[in-house]
Amino acid sequence: MPNPAILTVDDDPAVSRAVARDIRRRYGDRYRVVRADSAEAALEALRELKLRGEQVAVLIADYRMPQMNGIEFLEAAMDLFPSARRVLLTAYADTDAAINAINVVDLDHYLLKPWHPPEEKLYPVLDSLLEAWLATGATPTSDLRVVGHRWSAPSFAARDFLARNLVPFRWVLADEPEGAELLAAAGTSANDVPLIVTADGKSLVQPTEADLAAHVGLATTPAADFYDLVVVGAGPAGLGAAVYGASEGLRTVLIERRATGGQAGQSSRIENYLGFPDGVSGAQLTDRARRQALRFGAELLSAREVVALEDGGVARVLRFADGSTVAAHTVVLATGVSYRMLTAPGLAELTGRGCFYGSVASEAPNCSGEDVYIVGGANSAGQAAVHFSRYARRVHLLIRGADLTRSMSSYLIEQIARIDTIEVHPTTEVVGGAGGKHLEQLTLRDTRTGDVRNVDTSWLFVFIGAEPCTDWLDGAVARDRRGFVLTGPDLTRGGRRPPGWTLPRDPYHLESSMPGVFAAGDVRAESVKRVASAVGEGAMAVSLVHRYLEAQ
């Protein structure tokens, strides 16, 4: 296959030549530099590359171009090569445009012209972007195909699993000619979707997530039987613990049941995380943290469900759903929380068929021109409302309270107020849902007046509640009445240590009632439900792991 391309587009011939020259000098032996003098010419070049099945690693576009500016070009180019990294060339006067581009096209970087010397201002940026692309986007999206129905819940689950694990794939409808051909070749029918066709031509019919993970290159089996540290859950807290544990020399394995990032990984834009003044998407933040953990030597296991924690004397033993085990000196519990299911009649059977829990970024383009309903008043719901407003005709934000001030950050409230297509409905709850193959109608109730009304929609996204994923810990560690793990001072009452505690000291700050087992992030009782605090607790847990190991 030909070398992947780096495409540059600038209507100024001198700048265009300079960009291509500098890039070719450093990367010409590994990448093909494609140069265009207009956005239209660049899009035509991309279409030709797509038809030939070639890859594009980076798109570099000048902001000030006639007919179609750089942001508009990058937005159009995303449809052809969604995994390509995106860079905007701007003058000092255009930095506001670059910041807007971060929100519109999930821009990876903007470069101020001139960038000389390139060794300091251009190459480090491209090195980082190419490393990220090689880690997540170097497989052509056409290599892996998912065949299914638009409103099939199992088809959605497969697509969502792949998307959240940053595995490129191509979605093929079962009732299209290509889909029908693939189903026939696999000896199956449209009733048996999803069908996954891998890069080597292997067909997987309705695979489990574990089977799917194993066939798309995600690690599912630990390389060893014993580790210094096992981290359960790959949200911000778990990723933080894995990065610090592995970087400090601990043999570390990170186990995730579904996809790295947790709820934070689904956020379309996190704007109050330290060090990202222009915001960062949850997927980007997760991708960087995952690559960082792997670079330090941590193992990452996907699609593995831990069902029990056992005290093995000097070891802590974790049991998987298939009966196998892994043991370690210490454990960090970072399983986070899940969104609470709506109990309104008619919605359970529509899950994955119009009713979704959390922000499903892959569904946003499908909402174009339609009404979207979002339930929840916290930051995750607000971020989703802003994201879906770029596609939907109108976004309806349903909240139980009188306003957003008690549960949402002020910066998000101000953003929402500035977007005309977002409408906030206070004191409103969903009391019913109906539909055939997919969601077609919601029943809403005003909690103040009791008035009930029906609205037509195919899209409902739910962001309510925070239920800890800790049922599997029953009997192993102490939890509060809601299921959150109790740690440190919360375990001691009247100077008495927790029952069964055998060490001649009180539990460390993040330590559970089982010595050597720590909890970090949202799963811990009384924790601050923020990405930054979760990452901090993951790092702090590792420092306490060292203290625990030194005392053994």
Side-chain angles (χ1 to χ4, degrees):
M1 180 172 288
N3 287 338
I6 298 175
L7 182 139
T8 73
V9 53
D10 197 307
D11 65 315
D12 184 326
V15 174
S16 181
R17 286 193 296 270
V19 174
R21 180 198 63 224
D22 287 346
I23 295 174
R24 200 172 281 119
R25 181 189 305 158
R26 172 95 167 204
Y27 306 101
D29 59 330
R30 292 161 288 157
Y31 297 88
R32 184 157 61 94
V33 179
V34 178
R35 182 164 65 92
D37 57 8
S38 70
E40 292 79 2
L43 286 174
E44 184 58 34
L46 289 177
R47 292 187 191 101
E48 291 182 11
L49 292 169
K50 187 76 173 180
L51 289 173
R52 294 200 297 264
E54 298 185 30
Q55 302 177 69
V56 176
V58 177
L59 301 165
I60 303 174
D62 182 53
Y63 172 63
R64 290 179 178 267
M65 294 188 293
Q67 285 82 50
M68 181 185 293
N69 66 35
I71 298 175
E72 294 167 337
F73 162 75
L74 291 173
E75 191 168 15
M78 286 172 65
D79 294 333
L80 295 167
F81 291 96
S83 297
R85 302 293 158 160
R86 296 172 286 277
V87 179
L88 192 68
L89 298 179
T90 65
Y92 284 102
D94 296 326
T95 53
D96 286 344
I99 292 172
N100 289 334
I102 291 172
N103 294 319
V104 174
V105 297
D106 206 11
L107 192 72
D108 292 291
H109 203 89
Y110 63 88
L111 286 171
L112 294 176
K113 299 184 293 186
W115 56 77
H116 295 293
E119 289 76 13
E120 294 180 11
K121 299 183 179 180
L122 176 64
Y123 297 152
V125 171
L126 286 182
D127 286 345
S128 176
L129 295 179
L130 289 170
E131 179 187 354
W133 179 80
L134 286 169
T136 62
T139 302
T141 58
S142 59
D143 274 3
L144 183 70
R145 287 164 288 182
V146 179
V147 183
H149 296 303
R150 174 67 193 86
W151 296 110
S152 158
S155 299
F156 161 74
R159 289 188 295 131
D160 188 51
F161 176 79
L162 292 171
R164 291 185 60 190
N165 281 286
L166 305 176
V167 178
F169 67 92
R170 186 157 60 87
W171 168 239
V172 182
L173 290 172
D175 53 5
E176 291 182 346
E178 182 182 1
E181 291 173 3
L182 290 171
L183 288 169
T188 187
S189 72
N191 296 322
D192 301 318
V193 295
L195 168 69
I196 314 296
V197 182
T198 65
D200 58 3
K202 185 176 179 61
S203 297
L204 308 175
V205 181
Q206 297 182 344
T208 64
E209 289 185 351
D211 287 338
L212 187 52
H215 282 89
V216 299
L218 300 176
T220 59
T221 305
D225 296 324
F226 195 88
Y227 295 84
D228 294 318
L229 171 63
V230 172
V231 182
V232 186
L239 287 166
V243 167
Y244 280 91
S247 68
E248 294 171 11
L250 298 177
R251 291 171 298 168
T252 302
V253 61
L254 175 61
I255 303 170
E256 171 54 43
R257 182 172 61 90
R258 192 139 201 278
T260 52
Q263 287 188 5
Q266 294 180 281
S267 296
S268 55
R269 178 64 48 184
I270 302 170
E271 298 191 56
N272 58 353
Y273 187 66
L274 184 67
F276 292 87
D278 303 318
V280 62
S281 73
Q284 282 183 316
L285 190 63
T286 295
D287 176 37
R288 294 174 183 180
R290 181 187 61 81
R291 288 189 289 113
Q292 194 173 16
L294 292 175
R295 183 168 65 86
F296 283 124
E299 287 182 44
L300 171 58
L301 305 184
S302 300
R304 294 304 303 266
E305 183 179 6
V306 180
V307 296
L309 169 65
E310 302 166 3
D311 185 347
V314 296
R316 302 292 171 258
V317 180
L318 293 162
R319 190 170 300 280
F320 294 113
D322 64 359
S324 62
T325 61
V326 65
H329 290 300
T330 59
V331 174
V332 171
L333 303 172
T335 49
V337 295
S338 60
Y339 292 116
R340 193 168 69 244
M341 303 285 283
L342 282 178
T343 57
L347 289 181
E349 54 268 35
L350 293 170
T351 300
R353 298 191 292 123
C355 178
F356 305 96
Y357 290 86
S359 179
V360 185
S362 60
E363 295 299 303
N366 297 322
C367 302
S368 180
E370 301 188 29
D371 279 26
V372 169
Y373 285 77
I374 294 175
V375 180
N379 280 7
S380 54
Q383 291 160 353
V386 172
H387 179 64
F388 280 101
S389 70
R390 303 184 193 124
Y391 302 90
R393 185 183 72 86
R394 194 158 195 81
V395 175
H396 302 268
L397 187 57
L398 313 179
I399 60 173
R400 293 181 61 88
D403 56 46
L404 294 168
T405 55
R406 291 186 60 185
S407 55
M408 190 177 293
S409 297
S410 59
Y411 81 89
L412 264 177
I413 297 174
E414 293 168 1
Q415 265 191 359
I416 288 171
R418 292 195 298 266
I419 301 175
D420 294 336
T421 55
I422 298 180
E423 182 177 354
V424 179
H425 300 267
T427 63
T428 302
E429 63 180 357
V430 178
V431 294
K437 293 183 177 180
H438 62 88
L439 176 67
E440 297 173 5
Q441 190 177 80
L442 290 175
T443 302
L444 309 180
R445 185 173 75 91
D446 188 314
T447 58
R448 291 175 304 177
T449 65
D451 292 342
V452 174
R453 60 191 175 96
N454 293 325
V455 296
D456 294 332
T457 184
S458 296
W459 305 100
L460 174 68
F461 298 89
V462 182
F463 300 82
I464 58 171
E467 296 184 340
C469 308
T470 59
D471 288 347
W472 62 280
L473 291 169
D474 188 33
V477 299
R479 300 177 294 158
D480 68 11
R481 59 182 178 82
R482 294 183 298 165
F484 291 93
V485 178
L486 294 170
T487 60
D490 291 334
L491 289 168
T492 56
R493 292 289 183 268
R496 295 192 301 273
R497 293 165 183 160
W501 187 264
T502 58
L503 299 181
R505 61 166 176 82
D506 291 344
Y508 295 139
H509 180 62
L510 300 181
E511 196 169 18
S512 74
S513 59
M514 183 183 293
V517 176
F518 303 82
D522 290 357
V523 74
R524 190 178 67 82
E526 304 302 325
S527 64
V528 178
K529 304 299 188 282
R530 288 290 185 268
V531 175
S533 61
V535 173
E537 286 194 4
M540 186 190 303
V542 171
S543 70
L544 296 174
V545 163
H546 283 293
R547 190 185 302 181
Y548 172 84
L549 292 174
E550 289 167 359
Q552 297 307 300

